[in-house]
Amino acid sequence: MVNLYKGGAFLINGKDIVTDLSEVKNKYNLSPDEENGKKGTMAYSILESHNTSDDMNNLKIKFDKLTSHDITYVGIIQTARASGLEKFPIPYVLTNCHNSLCAVGGTINEDDHMFGLSAAKKYGGIYVPPHQAVIHQFAREVLATGGGMILGSDSHTRYGALGTMAMGEGGPELVKQLLNKTYDIAYPSVVGVYLKGEVPFGVGPQDVALAIIGAVFANGYVNNKVMEFVGPGIEKLSVDFRIGIDVMTTETTCLSSIWETDEEIKKFYDIHKRSVDFKEMHPGEVAYYDGMIEVDLSKIKPMIAMPFHPSNVYTIDEVNSNLKDILHSVEEKAKVSLGENVHYSLMDKIVDGKLYTDQGIIAGCAGGGFENIVAANDILKGKYIGFDEFSLSIYPASTPIYMELLKDGVAASLLETGSILKTAFCGPCFGAGDTPANNSFSIRHSTRNFPNREGSKLQNGQIASVALMDARSIAATAANKGFLTSAAGLDVEFTTPTYHFDSNIYANRVFDSKGIANKDEELQFGPNIKDWPAMIGLTKNMLLKVVSEIHDPVTTTDELIPSGETSSYRSNPLGLAEFTLSRKDPSYVGKAKEVHEVEEKREQGILFKDLNTDFENMNEEDRIALVLERLQEEVGKIDIDTLSIGSTIFARKPGDGSAREQAASCQKVLGGFANIANEYATKRYRSNLINWGMLPLLTNENHEALSFGKDDYIFLPNIYEEVKNKASEIKGYVVKINSKDMQKVSFTLGNLSDTERQIIEDGCLINYYKNNN
């Protein structure tokens, strides 16, 4: 089904995979080497055309277009304003697909939208009103271009199937583009994804995507690399099918994706009245890939990603055949993340030997495409979903898709089954729409199924879970009144109605400045939109308190800063920070604040004025005074004026999932000065830490035997010089409050560019631009 090559491979004439260089020379009479072969990839040509430096090993990329949604664009624009923004230098699209419901926080969400509209007018951008389109569908329909590059502040920024190399990053990376700076990365590895064969009946794009994710996530095969889709299997896939696979590449933790393009893609551009934006793209006669994933589409079966990760994959047949064993395995894995906070059980979902699901969702950038919804309707036609717990909600990804469903009669047919059709909204993907009941089991054609992504709250004793499936098998399950069913064995004829795109829908509603800025336009600030607080630069020495310790195999950004009910506070840095780690470690915010209050006193020059030496009744200021006293016995006098005092967390592998910068910025505004990890799950999370002036510390200590732990203190002497001078080792001391013993410790910072080091020295990206402008 999915085969991973152990090393690199050449692709000859876009068809033949060859791992032996001598075979390339002898059989094909070609004389490439790996370095020249890399230039034959599509990724190389796109990156080269957007690289502003003379060095292809160290790229300085300028993107063609930018995209953000209403969870991220206020913070991005606020950061850019504070850094000297005058106008958007390239097209910047502000969509409103996350806070659309205005369900929490009074006028907050709509206030953000009015800020976005006024910003688009003032700086020369494009504003897409709520319910018109989810961010990625609008980008596919309006923005994507063959050979282009788009940067978005959402992790699922993926338009590779249309020939666009797109990347999802934290907001500060978009700020750099808005200020005419560059996206600086080392040239990434490129992994080929060779598709062959033809998908069987009942198999959809989510099934293919889940099979790939299951094969590559845990081993990091494509981590921070570009996935380049090639091979004869592509021509057998419709455009919607390719898009459905492509958007899920984010869940592999790859950097970006790109596909071969052909007549099918040209038809897509023609339909959307953008024929000029099409470009036929293929790898060169010889292309070298740093790895190769071979996917036999003919062997893919309907898949399901069980809770709580898209890589926890099985075939639906496997689940139905080994129900108790698999559900028990999921329960055991869940204990690692859920701990003892709630009682989590799936066994009660077994009814008459079958798995009963409580809810189905087909939604968003992954599931809400025209073909997915039409296929679901074909399966459900003439049936009904029943009047028990099971429900089915369908969210077309854009109003143009919704309109076509209405014109074709698909909408009416679906409503007749008991399904509900809703407007374009990303809520089900991050816990702000169709939150299921406690202990419910939801099956979704959406992007993620992390803990709490569906909206439950462990701290309130609420838990539900999500499994990812393709729209076809979700519809088959719905037709079976909620009992898990594969679409493979159905007796149904799939229709393929021609899609027509109505461009008037956007022309009549979307604000497009055409790149013309109106400097006289006043930004509309709702009462919840706040500026970023002032942040100090890196000091000579640093004292960190470990205020949280997470030993899960992977920590997602949703666990660092929850989505869902927090969405209404995205534009208020301090308000949002109150939710940091609230579902993972509810004590975090209080502990971080205690440390931050000490640092604020230090900055005001009023620290250590009235200390309590009674050990049992010490507050945080007293404890830090004691720690410094012990340290000075070891290292000598510590000048309080050159010592910053902050908090840090340890997590084995933080940062999987969303690109939201708030996972880092919320820690920073609470006084977080560093993260400590065995490794970082994604480049984008590590970049977010750096852009907010936080040290991305790495430790090679076993997570089960750390020399430091929660409530311990770590002193980093001469940290400023070590960062500035590119020290290979960051040296420090661990101080435990209940022991006079002191232990030496060391960390590394990984690869940092000169700019990244300067951002850390300045304290954050805002300070960096202020200091350098």
Side-chain angles (χ1 to χ4, degrees), residues 533-564:
M535 299 177 190
I536 67 167
L538 187 64
T539 52
K540 177 182 178 181
N541 305 310
M542 182 182 291
L543 181 68
L544 297 169
K545 182 175 183 178
V546 182
V547 294
S548 188
E549 190 177 350
I550 305 171
H551 292 268
D552 294 4
V554 179
T555 303
T556 70
T557 47
D558 282 282
E559 291 172 308
L560 294 166
I561 181 63
S563 53

Side-chain angles (χ1 to χ4, degrees), residues 596-650:
H596 191 41
E597 287 170 3
V598 177
E599 168 62 13
E600 288 177 325
K601 282 188 174 183
R602 184 198 71 80
E603 293 174 26
Q604 295 167 18
I606 58 173
L607 190 59
F608 304 146
K609 298 297 184 183
D610 186 20
L611 293 175
N612 173 25
T613 57
D614 180 2
F615 189 82
E616 295 298 324
N617 296 305
M618 284 182 170
N619 61 25
E620 188 57 41
E621 185 177 358
D622 303 326
R623 288 190 287 268
I624 287 175
L626 178 61
V627 167
L628 291 177
E629 182 181 315
R630 292 176 182 173
L631 278 167
Q632 290 185 130
E633 294 174 1
E634 179 75 20
V635 302
K637 179 176 174 56
I638 299 171
D639 184 357
I640 200 68
D641 292 330
T642 61
L643 171 75
S644 55
I645 301 168
S647 59
T648 187
I649 68 169
F650 168 80

Side-chain angles (χ1 to χ4, degrees), residues 481-500:
K481 307 296 189 294
F483 288 99
L484 183 66
T485 305
S486 164
L490 298 179
D491 182 15
V492 61
E493 182 178 349
F494 288 111
T495 61
T496 54
T498 301
Y499 180 73
H500 304 89

Side-chain angles (χ1 to χ4, degrees), residues 47 56-57 59 167 185-190 224-226 255 290:
L47 290 170
M56 279 299 289
N57 292 317
L59 303 173
M167 300 177 184
I185 55 169
Y187 185 84
S189 297
V190 182
N224 294 327
K225 302 172 185 177
V226 176
L255 178 70
D290 300 286

Side-chain angles (χ1 to χ4, degrees), residues 569-580:
Y569 300 94
R570 294 299 184 203
S571 307
N572 183 340
L574 293 173
L576 180 62
E578 293 289 334
F579 295 93
T580 312

Side-chain angles (χ1 to χ4, degrees), residues 23 59 78 96 202 380 389 397 439 469 520 581 622 643 700:
E23 183 181 347
L59 303 173
Q78 287 286 71
N96 295 276
L380 281 165
E389 288 94 343
N439 292 320
M469 288 168 51
D520 296 326
L581 278 168
D622 303 326
L643 171 75
N700 59 11

